[in-house]
Amino acid sequence: MNRRCFLSGLAGLAAAPAFAGDDEHGRFVREAKYWNPIEQQRVACTLCPRGCEVADRERGYCGVRENVGGRYVTLVYGRAVAANVDPIEKKPLFHFLPGTTAFSIATAGCNMECKFCQNWDISQFRPEQIRSTDLFPTDVAAAARGRSCASIAYTYSEPVIFYEYMLDSAIEGHRLGVRSVMISNGYILKEPLLELLPRLDAVKVDLKAFTDTFYQKLCAGKLQPVLDSLRWIKEQGTWLEIVDLILPTQNDGEGEILALSEWIVDELGPDVPVHFSQFHPTYRIRNLPRTPVSTLERCYRIAKNAGLNFVYLGNVPGLGYENTLCPGCGTTLIRRVGFTVLSNTLKEGACPSCGRAIPGVWS
Amino acid sequence: MNRRSFVHSLSSAALVGAFHVPCDGGTGGRPSGALSPDTDSTVVIVRRVGLSQLKGDGRTGAYRTLLEEAFSTLGKTSLAQRVSGRNTIGLKANCLAGRPLSPSPELAQALSGMLRDVGVREVTVWERTMRELTRAGFTARGSFTIIGTDAVGYGRTIYESGDVGSLLSNALLNSDGLVSVGMLKDHDLAGISCVLKNLYGTIHNPNKYHDYNCNPYVAHVASLPPIRERLVLSVLDCATAQCHGGPSYKPAWAWPFDGILVSFDPVAADRIAADLIEDQRAIRELPTLEADRRPPRWIETAGLMGLGEHRRDAITVREVIV
Ligand code: SF4
């Protein structure tokens, strides 16, 4: 995403100051929902698996939560650094209201540091370092509705770290009949996730690799908590799709792709859509080439052979790997190029040829 | 709630600088910088009874005396040699804890004067935000310019060293010399926050580097080429020190050390600072930093990376009372 368009969705909103970073009146500050006091005015954050223990006047790893005299607060409630109207396919969510748009928002900050982050210029900064604007939950819901968006997407950076803002925006959105989707790394603890899921209508999780080494070396995170989150999301019945960005030589081994695919089939079921996406050099990984299409096609074959019913290739538009096919009879049900839906022949969520129900949220 | 600690801003120029930056990576190798194998690893501690109680000109004068004593102990021409050829020197002050536990503006005033005396044209005092500087008592009235990174922004290049990849404050990049002006104080994660940990204030993403008691990150930040090339001097304001509960000010754990600590070797300075804090912890029957699960292992890492001397028996400590 081009930074210059981050705030383009805000055009027409009233009284949006150019800069909200100096937060003179603490208007973006709210008490955090998940934390415990510990000794010496320190606090333990219980929102994500990182489990930061934070001293007075210090911030957690994500840079958007601060200990203020022994009380833990979020600094980004209503502090949007991005607001755009995007096709839902851009998230990507392919089995969730295809052809609709999502009012997409983000704040600064992230609880990982992926060395290949495409949006590092917001995810790896502190809120006061980035141009932002006031966009409180009621504004988000109204803006989404006013722009005829079917959903609000919490995206671009990492929504887990703006949890309170996301939760309240989802509640406000539902009041106005606008749904909510979270585009996340899945790095969140069980209790906050279980509180959040009833407010969400779909979740896309980046399963960045299937080795802990990759997570530790390239993301400053761990694999297991992400796998746990995927299971909990599935158990709760929230619509789930998975993206795996394929980096040449880092997470593209046949064995790894097979293990990942088999794990999804076994633990989450064969109907979870999986998107293998093309990497392009960015941020701190500039010495690797774009992922060859042949590598992505190999991932596609491995995943299909492992039993996944819906496999897509991302960032390589026009090759036919964005279409939704009926796993029963092979009929092309939804034809896409890039983020554009060219045709959708689903009949009440089922294949018009063989009648097989296609999992997803279609209306 | 104290809002002042999270009210910051960044100018539009700085914001523009933060976007779409090229990543040129580390330059590799050993930069021809301020830290070299022959850096003198002497650490000088100069104390004056009642320093922490002094105010105004009297305090500035006292700091001047202490600094003169320190540089005299390090060698008469040492400061001049150290800053030779550097026109603009930035004093990176650690003002996180507000006035009670931040470097004194009077120390900066005295040091600025001495730097000018040896030919430095411009001296700046800088920190992450103007607000932090103001809270610590710095004003534009001194013989130095005060700069918050929130006003000047970060550079466009991601500098990398080991595990660290960061943008650097333009306050640093716009100067050709750096003095780390820290405090003698405890840190809940790093063990201590004195000379090298203060340098976290030069990068845009310090919150990313607190795991594992900041090891090896403190050393990696210090070895980012623009920092390593510029860091010429380390000065700790130890008028008031703190042995526990840091990095914010906790009066129960603070004590009047009534002195300064000066060295050309930042690693040696931190080694000795850690010992001083451990001594005070022992007096108060607090567990060692090791027993408290936050040993400052990054000191050894920094030494092994060639940033200075971490071995206690290879460091000369001179203590002077004036
Ligand atoms: S949400 Fe932020 S502060 Fe909380 S544990 Fe995760 S990284 Fe740390």
Side-chain angles (χ1 to χ4, degrees):
Chain A
M1 140 156 301
N2 183 325
R3 153 137 295 273
R4 282 168 303 185
C5 70
F6 264 166
L7 290 166
S8 64
L10 295 175
L13 284 182
F19 292 93
D22 53 354
D23 199 9
E24 286 288 350
H25 306 293
R27 61 191 188 282
F28 304 123
V29 175
R30 297 291 184 280
E31 180 153 343
K33 277 188 80 91
Y34 287 93
W35 64 280
N36 292 316
I38 46 180
E39 84 291 347
Q40 293 285 333
Q41 283 191 316
R42 297 170 77 238
V43 300
C45 181
T46 54
L47 177 55
C48 96
R50 217 163 250 295
C52 296
E53 293 188 355
V54 184
D56 182 23
R57 289 181 188 266
E58 295 270 45
R59 292 192 194 174
Y61 181 90
C62 53
V64 304
R65 292 171 183 272
E66 184 166 303
N67 179 341
V68 182
R71 177 172 162 252
Y72 211 40
V73 300
T74 167
L75 306 177
V76 291
Y77 189 92
R79 194 175 199 165
V81 298
N84 286 292
V85 175
D86 288 340
I88 194 73
E89 285 74 18
K90 189 174 177 179
K91 303 298 123 190
L93 282 167
F94 277 14
H95 290 225
F96 182 84
L97 305 177
T100 64
T101 55
F103 189 71
S104 305
I105 61 168
T107 74
C110 185
N111 55 359
M112 286 189 182
E113 191 209 350
C114 299
K115 310 258 180 302
F116 46 88
C117 182
Q118 294 171 11
N119 292 327
W120 72 276
D121 56 2
I122 58 172
S123 70
Q124 299 306 314
F125 281 79
R126 293 176 164 218
E128 69 275 14
Q129 295 168 335
I130 304 186
R131 187 185 182 106
S132 63
T133 196
D134 300 33
L135 199 65
F136 290 94
T138 49
D139 307 325
V140 173
R145 172 110 183 243
R147 286 156 178 75
S148 303
C149 296
S151 57
I152 301 163
Y154 312 98
T155 181
Y156 304 135
S157 55
E158 176 46 56
V160 167
I161 62 92
F162 58 89
Y163 182 90
E164 297 80 4
Y165 180 31
M166 168 168 56
L167 186 68
D168 287 354
S169 296
I171 291 168
E172 292 300 332
H174 279 167
R175 276 200 188 115
L176 298 185
V178 182
R179 286 182 248 196
S180 271
V181 303
M182 175 172 77
I183 311 305
S184 173
N185 60 17
Y187 218 51
I188 182 169
L189 289 176
K190 187 171 188 178
E191 194 184 343
L193 180 61
L194 294 189
E195 183 186 351
L196 177 67
L197 285 174
R199 308 294 184 183
L200 297 179
D201 300 281
V203 178
K204 187 219 82 178
V205 170
D206 283 308
L207 179 55
K208 296 167 191 287
F210 207 61
T211 65
D212 206 46
T213 310
F214 182 99
Y215 265 91
Q216 289 194 33
K217 203 172 74 161
L218 295 179
C219 306
K222 293 190 175 126
L223 170 63
Q224 190 57 47
V226 180
L227 299 181
D228 293 341
S229 291
L230 286 166
R231 279 201 200 92
W232 296 327
I233 295 164
K234 191 66 190 170
E235 278 168 21
Q236 295 303 305
T238 309
W239 181 251
L240 170 68
E241 301 194 22
I242 291 172
V243 166
D244 182 5
L245 184 78
I246 301 295
L247 277 71
T249 72
Q250 300 299 309
N251 62 353
D252 63 348
E254 281 192 35
E256 182 173 344
I257 300 299
L258 180 61
L260 176 143
S261 303
E262 289 179 343
W263 184 88
I264 295 172
V265 170
D266 293 345
E267 300 291 331
L268 310 176
D271 286 337
V272 173
V274 176
H275 307 247
F276 294 105
S277 288
Q278 185 184 51
F279 156 86
H280 65 266
T282 185
Y283 190 34
R284 294 178 67 185
I285 298 196
R286 305 215 165 209
N287 58 347
L288 290 179
R290 278 177 185 266
T291 319
V293 172
S294 58
T295 301
L296 295 170
E297 287 176 325
R298 196 187 66 215
C299 295
Y300 182 94
R301 283 194 301 273
I302 293 169
K304 291 291 279 185
N305 289 338
L308 284 168
N309 285 328
F310 302 98
V311 182
Y312 301 98
L313 299 186
N315 297 342
V316 285
L319 300 180
Y321 293 106
E322 295 150 313
N323 297 334
T324 300
L325 310 180
C326 174
C329 66
T331 298
T332 299
L333 302 170
I334 304 174
R335 201 176 291 279
R336 304 178 182 86
V337 171
F339 307 136
T340 306
V341 174
L342 301 179
S343 64
N344 179 353
T345 59
L346 277 172
K347 289 276 179 287
E348 293 173 357
C351 172
S353 300
C354 69
R356 178 170 172 150
I358 305 299
V361 177
W362 306 114
S363 60
Chain B
M1 172 175 56
N2 181 347
R3 281 203 314 274
R4 291 175 300 178
S5 57
F6 46 75
V7 178
H8 313 301
S9 66
L10 199 68
S11 73
S12 57
L15 290 161
V16 170
F19 307 141
H20 301 303
V21 302
C23 175
D24 64 1
T27 55
R30 190 178 176 86
S32 59
L35 297 176
S36 60
D38 56 356
T39 297
D40 180 1
S41 292
T42 300
V43 175
V44 182
I45 297 165
V46 193
R47 303 176 79 167
R48 178 195 190 283
V49 175
L51 173 69
S52 54
Q53 305 304 318
L54 295 173
K55 303 253 182 289
D57 288 346
R59 190 169 174 120
T60 306
Y63 276 118
R64 173 99 194 186
T65 305
L66 298 185
L67 286 166
E68 282 171 349
E69 193 62 41
F71 291 120
S72 157
T73 305
L74 284 167
K76 276 252 175 292
T77 58
S78 57
L79 182 63
Q81 284 170 356
R82 199 72 186 146
V83 301
S84 165
R86 296 174 194 268
N87 291 318
T88 305
I89 293 206
L91 314 184
K92 167 60 184 70
N94 183 349
C95 299
L96 178 141
R99 182 93 207 210
L101 198 62
S102 294
S104 161
E106 290 83 5
L107 169 63
Q109 184 78 8
L111 183 56
S112 167
M114 294 186 72
L115 289 167
R116 286 176 184 281
D117 289 349
V118 295
V120 175
R121 283 202 209 124
E122 191 181 345
V123 178
T124 62
V125 175
W126 61 276
E127 184 36 313
R128 296 178 304 182
T129 65
M130 287 299 285
R131 184 168 295 267
E132 285 174 303
L133 286 164
T134 308
R135 277 176 48 225
F138 287 91
T139 67
R141 290 197 304 273
S143 62
F144 44 75
T145 312
I146 60 170
I147 301 174
T149 299
D150 56 341
V152 296
Y154 293 89
R156 301 171 64 85
T157 300
I158 301 173
Y159 289 96
E160 292 188 277
S161 172
D163 295 329
V164 168
S166 300
L167 304 183
L168 291 170
S169 168
N170 280 325
L172 172 84
L173 298 172
N174 293 339
S175 64
D176 53 15
L178 169 66
V179 181
S180 179
V181 183
M183 299 299 293
L184 179 62
K185 70 173 180 176
D186 173 87
H187 190 281
D188 74 312
L189 298 173
I192 64 166
S193 177
C194 301
V195 172
L196 292 176
K197 179 66 175 61
N198 177 30
L199 302 175
Y200 270 38
T202 67
I203 62 176
H204 83 286
N205 53 354
N207 43 297
K208 298 293 181 193
Y209 304 121
H210 280 122
D211 288 349
Y212 315 113
N213 300 116
C214 305
N215 184 35
Y217 307 113
V218 175
H220 289 179
V221 168
S223 67
L224 292 169
I227 294 176
R228 192 167 176 165
E229 288 157 9
R230 286 169 176 77
L231 186 58
V232 290
L233 176 64
S234 304
V235 177
L236 297 183
D237 185 344
C238 317
T240 299
Q242 185 171 310
C243 66
H244 193 62
S248 63
Y249 178 54
K250 300 284 189 317
W253 307 110
W255 85 101
F257 185 89
D258 286 329
I260 61 171
L261 182 153
V262 180
S263 181
F264 294 133
D265 181 332
V267 183
D270 269 342
R271 168 81 279 147
I272 300 308
D275 289 352
L276 292 170
I277 286 172
E278 292 281 27
D279 290 348
Q280 187 65 19
R281 291 177 67 84
I283 290 167
R284 295 178 180 227
E285 299 182 347
L286 288 165
T288 62
L289 293 172
E290 176 86 43
D292 217 19
R293 290 179 294 124
R294 48 199 182 94
R297 294 236 163 78
W298 44 266
I299 296 175
E300 182 177 357
T301 305
L304 295 173
M305 288 178 69
L307 295 170
E309 183 55 69
H310 68 284
R311 295 165 303 170
R312 180 64 185 83
D313 55 5
I315 300 168
T316 304
V317 180
R318 298 192 191 280
E319 190 159 2
V320 183
I321 298 184
V322 298

